[in-house]
Amino acid sequence: MKNAVIGNNKQKANLIVLGAVPRLLYLLQQETSSTELRTECAVVLGSLAMGTENNVKSLLDCHIIPALLQGLLSPDLKFIEACLRCLRTIFISPVTPEDLLYTDATVISHLMALLSRSRYTQEYICQIFSHCCKLQHWHSCGFKSLPQPLLCANGPDHQTILFNHGAVQNIAHLLVSTSYKVRMQALKCFSVLAFENPQVSMTLVNVSVDGELLPQIFVKMLQRDKPIEMQLTSAKCLTSMCRAGAIRTDDSCIVLKTLPCLVRMCSKERLLEERVEGAETLAYLIETDVELQRIASITDHLIVMLADYFKYPSSVSAITDIKRLDHDLKHAHELRQAAFKLYASLGANDEDIRKKIIETENMMDRIVNGLSESSIKVRLAAVRCLHSLSRSVQQLRTSFQDHAVWKPLMKVLQNAPNEILVVASSTLCNLLLEFSPSKEPILESGAIELLCSLTQSENLALRVNGIWALMNMAFQAEQKIKSDILRGLSTEQLFQLLSDSDVNVLMKTLGLLRNLLSTRPHIDHIMSTHGKQIMQAVTLILEGEHNIEVKEQTLCILANIADGTTAKELIMTNDDILQKIKYYMSHSNAKLQLAAMFCISNLIWNEEEGSQERQDKLRDMGIVDILHKLSQSSDPNLCDKAKTALQQYLA
């Protein structure tokens, strides 16, 4: 059987259909079978697992994993190795659930114990660990996604289980093994264990093997004379440790070793997978650090080098291996998404770098094309890249306009998955800033309705972005737009947002109200239709348990209302609100005092009709006494504001 199935997928499938698997498993588990027979069974099963994904599914359906794990308890090393080799093949298949390794608590400690038996047990066990160590949540560059729960309810995640079983101590010495395969699998193990994990990363920094600290060992493995796979994986280890805060971003092992190594991986000479992994890892390394972004942008002409990611495969003749060409054509989209990701990280903060990226040949066209690609990964990465570039005022006024980027972006926002919606709506916020020429056409294409619906999302980031974009849209907008926003949102939804548990949503909603209530005719118009509800909302917030920023924003809204011609009366006839303004004038926080004074100044301003009655009413309330006290304040702002207000009484 073994000789028939080696390298022959058709024969493998035939044997499975004929029912060979249950029989082989039966023989493997029989105590009466000789060790040689049991070992041969494990070898044949391993060969069947090497075939298609369907083969692996058939093996899993026959409960092969518990049978093989049981086999590891045998005293015979050859049999243990055969079981491990088969387990390794099954676990590296994408159809195998990682959790099958963790169903029995004793398995991990037994595997740790087997690590010392032979170089094969070391290679296979490390390989199993690195494939069965899935994060509870994968944080993609740029935006933290919400944690996805693991299958095993609320148990510790895989990294923690392996860490608690002594993975670091047990695997560290394998990095200096005489076998390349063992060194490589141990390295892969660490790259997965350390990813997004401060606990593991902080431990790794201080572990030494043969008197050498792990980071130094990783740096040695980065050298140009080492195999590419080893360079890349050790760069990933150092990147994870750096992102987790275990190594400083200005440490020479990052700036002089890891970063240049990853840039090298992006060159034309490298294979497709290497270029993809190099660019993605580099994007992650520099994502939050301005200095690393600047260094990367001037290393080896990286920005120009990435443009080649879009022209792949360029010269077909250069690729003589037809199988390779076929594979690369199928995976060319991965290059595009990696390039977009890296451009997004490079341009996250620095204006000059963004300018360089946009001036790279056809860059804006490539992004626009990326927004409509069939691959969701490419779409997401293109939106990220666009978001990063949209942080530039200069670009919003020029390149973004020339390419009508808003059109494909609005299209992306229709029924996209949340992951894309979050980044696309953030980008839309930037396109709706008052200086962006895209603002008009976006409004005409039905953005208000879209954004109002986002504010009702279960997803917090989408609620924040929806309300933020509306806030930007309302800034210095004409009255019709403001009315449309209020109509689209509805009073119920406004109250819903003002009572949102998230302070970000609350602040942006108050910002929206403040922008809606600016310029007199608008203030009077909006307060004539929504006055009662808005005053109610203001009262609610000033009475609630909110931070200083929230209360300050709310008092600024009142000051805007006090600036209206007819809207003023809504404050003057509301004694409750007047008492609150008076209370905040004597508050311990100067910001709140100042905001309350703005309200008073606007109410008592002389040139306006009815100012005398308003001044008298406020004097009777004791406001003038407070103003006298504040005019003696040590805070120059408060003192000036109080004196200006008192002059209104003297005029």
Side-chain angles (χ1 to χ4, degrees):
M1 279 171 88
K2 181 170 74 176
N3 292 339
V5 297
I6 285 179
N8 187 333
N9 276 351
K10 201 170 170 191
Q11 284 289 37
K12 289 178 190 182
N14 284 341
L15 274 184
I16 291 173
V17 172
L18 292 170
V21 179
R23 186 80 190 125
L24 288 165
L25 282 172
Y26 170 76
L27 291 169
L28 180 115
Q29 289 168 290
Q30 275 306 87
E31 291 300 324
T32 51
S33 303
S34 70
T35 314
E36 289 76 18
L37 174 60
R38 293 169 78 186
T39 307
E40 287 295 329
C41 288
V43 171
V44 178
L45 287 165
S47 186
L48 295 177
M50 286 274 191
T52 62
E53 287 181 3
N54 280 335
N55 293 7
V56 177
K57 281 183 190 153
S58 306
L59 294 171
L60 290 172
D61 291 341
C62 294
H63 307 294
I64 186 170
I65 289 182
L68 291 169
L69 290 174
Q70 193 60 41
L72 299 180
L73 299 172
S74 153
D76 186 89
L77 182 58
K78 282 276 168 278
F79 178 53
I80 291 175
E81 287 173 354
C83 288
L84 281 172
R85 191 181 304 116
C86 185
L87 279 167
R88 180 271 320 259
T89 308
I90 290 170
F91 275 118
I92 62 179
S93 166
V95 298
T96 310
E98 297 83 20
D99 285 301
L100 291 174
L101 187 68
Y102 302 93
T103 41
D104 177 349
T106 58
V107 168
I108 303 294
S109 39
H110 187 59
L111 287 171
M112 293 290 175
L114 289 175
L115 273 171
S116 56
R117 295 291 300 273
S118 74
R119 72 186 194 93
Y120 294 112
T121 63
Q122 292 169 350
E123 178 193 334
Y124 303 145
I125 291 171
C126 284
Q127 204 171 354
I128 290 169
F129 285 160
S130 56
H131 279 276
C132 292
C133 181
K134 284 288 176 282
L135 272 146
Q136 262 183 326
H137 46 96
W138 159 268
H139 284 171
S140 35
C141 301
F143 286 82
K144 287 206 159 16
S145 50
L146 294 169
Q148 316 267 259
L150 262 178
L151 291 174
C152 46
N154 68 29
D157 57 288
H158 299 166
Q159 286 174 327
T160 312
I161 296 171
L162 292 174
F163 180 78
N164 292 342
H165 277 90
V168 173
Q169 295 68 25
N170 283 309
I171 296 171
H173 68 96
L174 303 181
L175 290 169
V176 294
S177 159
T178 50
S179 152
Y180 171 74
K181 283 183 173 174
V182 172
R183 288 201 302 278
M184 201 49 238
Q185 293 307 337
L187 189 58
K188 282 187 174 162
C189 236
F190 283 131
S191 87
V192 185
L193 280 170
F195 182 67
E196 301 256 317
N197 193 317
Q199 185 190 24
V200 174
S201 296
M202 295 293 184
T203 309
L204 289 180
V205 177
N206 301 311
V207 170
S208 62
V209 179
D210 296 351
E212 208 171 8
L213 286 168
L214 282 195
Q216 296 168 321
I217 295 179
F218 292 149
V219 167
K220 276 190 176 161
M221 292 175 150
L222 276 180
Q223 290 165 349
R224 287 167 189 256
D225 58 345
K226 297 286 183 288
I228 296 296
E229 166 186 46
M230 184 173 267
Q231 290 184 45
L232 242 177
T233 313
S234 43
K236 281 168 84 169
C237 291
L238 290 160
T239 294
S240 291
M241 290 162 76
C242 177
R243 280 300 302 266
I247 300 178
R248 289 170 47 128
T249 52
D250 56 2
D251 188 304
S252 65
C253 78
I254 297 297
V255 179
L256 302 177
K257 303 285 185 195
T258 311
L259 187 146
C261 167
L262 289 169
V263 174
R264 281 202 306 275
M265 296 303 147
C266 298
S267 80
K268 255 186 182 152
E269 283 67 65
R270 304 269 56 89
L271 290 174
L272 181 136
E273 299 77 53
E274 295 159 359
R275 292 168 80 186
V276 170
E277 213 173 329
E280 288 189 336
T281 308
L282 184 54
Y284 179 59
L285 174 64
I286 68 176
E287 187 186 359
T288 54
D289 191 273
V290 190
E291 202 37 49
L292 289 179
Q293 288 158 10
R294 293 198 179 119
I295 296 167
S297 73
I298 54 169
T299 306
D300 291 354
H301 307 293
L302 176 64
I303 292 177
V304 182
M305 184 151 61
L306 281 178
D308 286 333
Y309 276 43
F310 296 96
K311 311 178 205 160
Y312 192 86
S314 46
S315 51
V316 177
S317 56
I319 303 179
T320 43
D321 180 352
I322 199 77
K323 249 187 171 163
R324 182 80 219 173
L325 175 63
D326 182 50
H327 168 273
D328 284 4
L329 284 169
K330 285 198 185 93
H331 294 271
H333 67 275
E334 289 177 21
L335 276 176
R336 294 194 289 279
Q337 65 109 17
F340 283 139
K341 265 190 196 167
L342 184 43
Y343 277 138
S345 283
L346 284 164
N349 297 292
D350 188 293
E351 197 53 48
D352 294 335
I353 298 177
R354 287 187 200 124
K355 196 167 175 299
K356 269 194 204 160
I357 292 173
I358 285 183
E359 286 168 0
T360 309
E361 49 176 327
N362 309 336
M363 193 58 208
M364 290 311 277
D365 291 335
R366 290 194 171 126
I367 295 176
V368 169
N369 293 338
L371 291 175
S372 56
E373 279 209 30
S374 58
S375 154
I376 186 164
K377 272 182 155 180
V378 179
R379 288 207 303 277
L380 181 58
V383 175
R384 285 231 171 91
C385 184
L386 192 62
H387 177 248
S388 190
L389 300 174
S390 75
R391 293 185 178 137
S392 151
V393 176
Q394 172 69 38
Q395 301 309 336
L396 283 174
R397 285 188 169 150
T398 52
S399 318
F400 276 54
Q401 200 42 30
D402 303 342
H403 291 267
V405 165
W406 63 271
K407 277 187 193 158
L409 186 67
M410 286 295 287
K411 207 173 141 193
V412 166
L413 281 160
Q414 314 296 333
N415 66 42
N418 275 1
E419 207 181 353
I420 288 188
L421 270 182
V422 171
V423 196
S425 54
S426 293
T427 313
L428 195 61
C429 289
N430 293 344
L431 290 186
L432 288 168
L433 291 168
E434 97 282 1
F435 46 73
S436 160
S438 311
K439 187 171 174 175
E440 290 304 310
I442 290 177
L443 279 169
E444 288 156 19
S445 68
I448 293 180
E449 202 182 335
L450 178 93
L451 295 169
C452 290
S453 69
L454 287 184
T455 66
Q456 299 174 15
S457 170
E458 295 285 299
N459 181 313
L460 172 63
L462 289 179
R463 285 204 304 283
V464 172
N465 287 347
I467 197 72
W468 190 339
L470 289 169
M471 178 185 95
N472 285 351
M473 193 185 270
F475 184 80
Q476 292 177 355
E478 54 203 64
Q479 191 173 310
K480 180 185 175 316
I481 293 175
K482 292 182 176 180
S483 302
D484 287 350
I485 291 175
L486 270 171
R487 221 188 350 266
L489 260 188
S490 82
T491 325
E492 298 80 34
Q493 182 54 13
L494 203 58
F495 273 96
Q496 194 70 47
L497 291 164
L498 288 170
S499 52
D500 199 287
S501 57
D502 184 80
V503 69
N504 255 327
V505 174
L506 180 55
M507 280 299 280
K508 295 288 181 276
T509 310
L510 291 169
L512 168 66
L513 271 176
R514 194 173 162 181
N515 285 348
L516 290 172
L517 295 166
S518 60
T519 72
R520 263 190 203 156
H522 296 184
I523 296 170
D524 290 332
H525 174 76
I526 288 173
M527 292 308 286
S528 70
T529 53
H530 293 76
K532 191 168 149 254
Q533 296 97 323
I534 288 175
M535 295 305 282
Q536 243 179 314
V538 166
T539 313
L540 251 164
I541 288 174
L542 291 177
E543 284 173 356
E545 293 285 318
H546 292 292
N547 66 25
I548 300 291
E549 281 69 29
V550 167
K551 299 212 160 169
E552 183 191 14
Q553 266 290 24
T554 311
L555 287 166
C556 288
I557 291 171
L558 270 181
N560 283 9
I561 296 171
D563 193 36
T565 312
T566 53
K568 279 185 174 54
E569 288 312 306
L570 284 162
I571 296 179
M572 291 308 299
T573 53
N574 187 327
D575 288 341
D576 184 21
I577 286 279
L578 287 174
Q579 287 301 331
K580 286 189 167 51
I581 295 174
K582 179 182 170 182
Y583 163 77
Y584 283 108
M585 283 177 76
S586 313
H587 197 276
S588 56
N589 184 290
K591 278 181 170 177
L592 295 182
Q593 286 178 285
L594 208 55
M597 301 257 279
F598 274 111
C599 299
I600 296 296
S601 297
N602 284 346
L603 291 172
I604 62 177
W605 207 253
N606 261 324
E607 288 119 53
E608 290 163 14
E609 202 182 323
S611 60
Q612 196 54 56
E613 292 85 352
R614 288 194 292 275
Q615 286 185 9
D616 295 345
K617 178 167 183 178
L618 292 169
R619 179 187 276 119
D620 297 343
M621 276 181 63
I623 296 288
V624 177
D625 305 337
I626 301 178
L627 286 173
H628 277 297
K629 214 161 63 197
L630 288 170
S631 66
Q632 307 300 310
S633 164
S634 57
D635 183 317
N637 282 336
L638 285 176
C639 175
D640 286 353
K641 200 75 189 142
K643 285 177 179 164
T644 314
L646 285 168
Q647 276 165 358
Q648 295 300 313
Y649 272 95
L650 301 170

